[in-house]
Amino acid sequence: MADCVFCKIASGEIPSQMVYQDDAVVAFKDVNPQAPIHILIIPRQHIPSLMDLDESNAAIIGHIMLVAKNLARQFGIDQGGFRIVSNCGADAGQSVDHVHFHLLGGRSLQWPPG
Ligand code: AMP
């Protein structure tokens, strides 16, 4: 989508600290990290939010979870633990309308979240 910052990151139009990419997904470091490890994992396909998913997207979401698991191991947070978050909508604080999953770790994470 032309004016989507995450589409532009996926295409390389906007630079990022990319840590993984394949035909379907891209992962890059969050520009405003909330934990020592804070990586965003996105589908290349522009899907605005979790509420826009349907059965045709089931495989990509499963793939993103496996990418998250592999990145957790690669960045050394698999043993200590980590969190995967997807904010959906205004009350959750979603600020970029391209579905994304935060991979957070490297410190003790509080529960419940704010
Ligand atoms: P959310 O608030 O859940 O929609 O998450 C959006 C995230 O994208 C925030 O944590 C931002 O810091 C991050 N973000 C926005 N623009 C960029 C960018 N150009 N590169 C990396 N991360 C970004």
Side-chain angles (χ1 to χ4, degrees), residues 18-93:
M18 206 168 280
V19 296
Y20 177 82
Q21 61 176 314
D22 62 28
D23 287 348
V25 314
V26 172
F28 51 95
K29 292 188 179 177
D30 195 295
V31 75
N32 183 24
Q34 302 301 311
I37 305 299
H38 187 171
I39 293 168
L40 298 172
I41 310 167
I42 68 169
R44 287 188 183 276
Q45 180 186 355
H46 183 81
I47 303 167
S49 85
L50 286 180
M51 288 308 295
D52 298 296
L53 295 173
D54 60 31
E55 280 301 321
S56 73
N57 307 122
I60 185 68
I61 298 305
H63 180 53
I64 284 173
M65 290 300 124
L66 293 175
V67 169
K69 178 192 113 169
N70 291 338
L71 287 170
R73 185 176 292 141
Q74 180 182 331
F75 281 85
I77 55 174
D78 55 317
Q79 297 295 319
F82 57 90
R83 186 172 293 164
I84 296 169
V85 173
S86 186
N87 295 316
C88 182
D91 278 357

Side-chain angles (χ1 to χ4, degrees), residues 5-6 9 14-16 28-34 38 40 86-87 92-97 100 102:
V5 63
F6 283 0
I9 286 175
I14 290 178
S16 69
F28 51 95
K29 292 188 179 177
D30 195 295
V31 75
N32 183 24
Q34 302 301 311
H38 187 171
L40 298 172
S86 186
N87 295 316
Q94 183 177 0
S95 61
V96 177
D97 291 334
H100 52 280
H102 299 256

